[in-house]
Structure formats: structure tokens, C-alpha cells
Amino acid sequence: MPLGLLASLVVLTAAAWALTLYQTFSMDMPMGIAVRGGMEGMEGMAGMAMAGIAADGWSLAGAAAFLAVWTVMMAAMMLPAAAPMIVMFSAAQARREQHVAIPTWMFVAGYMLVWAAAGLLVYVLVQFGSEFATSLDPPQRSKWAPLALGVTLGVAELYQFTTLKHICIGHCRSPLAFVAQHWRDGRVGALEMGLRHGLYCFGCCWALFAVLVAAGRHERRLDAAVDAGRLRRKAAAA
């Protein structure tokens, strides 16, 4: 099962990255705040997208599209980081019973549900931010955009030193300790464990993604920086 599981994770991650890159190069779907109803006053607006989902306003179809793109992006970026935990869960499950595949993928589903829920929160915040940006005059937008980005960067940096961040890192640091401390039997238990691990992972990484969203567009270079920072912290914690 571990080899098959690893192969499945590699294929799933590769497919998610392929879709993410396709979206990045081929589609106009930035993740950040947009000004609706025109381009006037967009000069010098660091961090605000000029088109995309936010510019379309509130809609069920827009929310569904945003969540689909967001969840695929999270699968591409977060499944490699979660792979040691997933493999550890699978190995522990195999020692308890013969049925391994379904509980393991229930664990993965719970983990990804957390990131999908985060995407819904991001969609709501981006829409409110777009409404606020649209209500401002062009000179005000030029002043508030870099200020909002600076505040986001400051909050993200300060969060790295909080007790909550260190608690989340402590739970994510050792897959073996997490499995021993939070084990639940059955498929529902696997889903619960995936949700719990996803919450701890979200607690470790949300600040990085907040910076990504606040920067306005889903930039490939910013994605690379986010991935590099996340992997450096995991290596340091190991």
C-alpha cells in the first residue's frame, strides 16, 4: 500500500500542478481584490487585480469556479507537504485492519476540506474587499492598496512568533506523534483526523496565503516564494 499510495499522491499532485499552471498561463482568474466597473485610477495600484473573479461580483457560479481553482491549487501546493502524514496514517491503519485505502483517502478528503473551506473564506473576503475598493476614489485606492498589503505583511510576520503558530507547528512536526495522540478508528475517524491535521496545517500556513491574496494576483514568483518558505520551515522543524 505505501508504494501505491505514494504513486497515487504523485499522480494527483502532478495533475493538480498541471491544472494550476494551465490556469496561470491560460485563464484570467486572479485571486486578489479587483475594482469593478472600469479601469480608471488603476495606475500605481500595487496589489489589486484588474480583472477576474472578484470583478464579476457575487455569484454562485463565481464562487464555485473560485473554489475549484483554489482547491486544485491547494492540492498542488499542500499534498507534498502532507505526504509524510498521509503515509504514516496509512501504515498505522494497515497495522489495525486490512481495509486501508478508503480510510486513507477519507483522511486526505478531510485534509482538503479544510483548505476548500479556507477558499470559501477567501472568496468572501475578496468580494468585500472589491466592494470597498470600488467605493473609493482613484487617489484613495492608490493610497489604500499598498497600505493594506503592508498591514497584511506585518500581521503575517508577527503571527510567526505567536503561541498559536508554535502549537500548530508542534502538532505538524511529527506524523508519528500526531497519529499516536489523535488516532480515531473507522472511516469517520479518518475523516476527523484529516480535518484536525488540516486545521493544524492551516494554522501554520494561513499567513503565507494571506500575503499571496493581498498581493492581488496569483503570481508564479510569489507562489514559488510561498512554497520555498513553507518547505524551509518544515525542514527546520524536522
Side-chain angles (χ1 to χ4, degrees):
M1 178 63 187
L3 289 179
L5 176 62
L6 286 174
S8 298
L9 289 174
V10 168
V11 171
L12 184 60
T13 302
W17 268 113
L19 289 172
T20 299
L21 291 174
Y22 171 78
Q23 180 271 326
T24 301
F25 285 105
S26 304
M27 301 172 64
D28 189 15
M29 194 173 287
M31 294 292 179
I33 293 171
V35 176
R36 298 166 184 160
M39 303 292 290
E40 180 184 0
M42 293 297 290
E43 299 85 359
M45 287 188 59
M48 287 195 177
M50 296 183 183
I53 294 175
D56 293 334
W58 298 89
S59 72
L60 184 60
F66 185 94
L67 286 178
V69 171
W70 174 272
T71 304
V72 169
M73 181 182 72
M74 290 299 100
M77 299 178 72
M78 303 308 299
L79 281 179
M85 185 69 73
I86 296 170
V87 171
M88 179 62 66
F89 174 87
S90 177
Q93 180 69 23
R95 287 194 293 269
R96 286 168 169 81
E97 57 179 270
Q98 293 181 341
H99 303 289
V100 177
I102 293 179
T104 299
W105 290 110
M106 291 290 287
F107 180 91
V108 174
Y111 179 79
M112 291 308 305
L113 276 174
V114 172
W115 289 107
L120 182 60
L121 176 62
V122 169
Y123 176 81
V124 171
L125 292 176
V126 165
Q127 292 299 331
F128 278 123
S130 297
E131 290 182 351
F132 175 71
T134 304
S135 71
L136 298 175
D137 295 330
Q140 292 177 307
R141 290 198 295 264
S142 297
K143 178 180 70 174
W144 279 100
L147 179 61
L149 178 57
V151 169
T152 303
L153 287 168
V155 171
E157 183 64 27
L158 290 175
Y159 177 72
Q160 309 307 312
F161 303 99
T162 64
T163 302
L164 178 60
K165 173 62 182 283
H166 290 290
I167 290 174
C168 292
I169 288 179
H171 283 279
C172 292
R173 181 172 293 171
S174 172
L176 180 60
F178 177 88
V179 168
Q181 184 176 355
H182 300 291
W183 183 263
R184 300 291 185 273
D185 291 320
R187 297 176 183 179
V188 175
L191 181 66
E192 180 183 342
M193 290 180 66
L195 289 168
R196 184 184 295 271
H197 180 58
L199 287 172
Y200 286 131
C201 191
F202 178 79
C204 289
C205 302
W206 72 265
L208 287 172
F209 291 109
V211 172
L212 185 151
V213 173
R217 291 192 65 89
H218 186 187
E219 297 286 355
R220 293 185 296 276
R221 286 174 296 179
L222 185 56
D223 275 349
V226 169
D227 273 343
R230 177 168 49 80
L231 292 175
R232 279 198 300 269
R233 284 196 301 276
K234 287 182 70 70

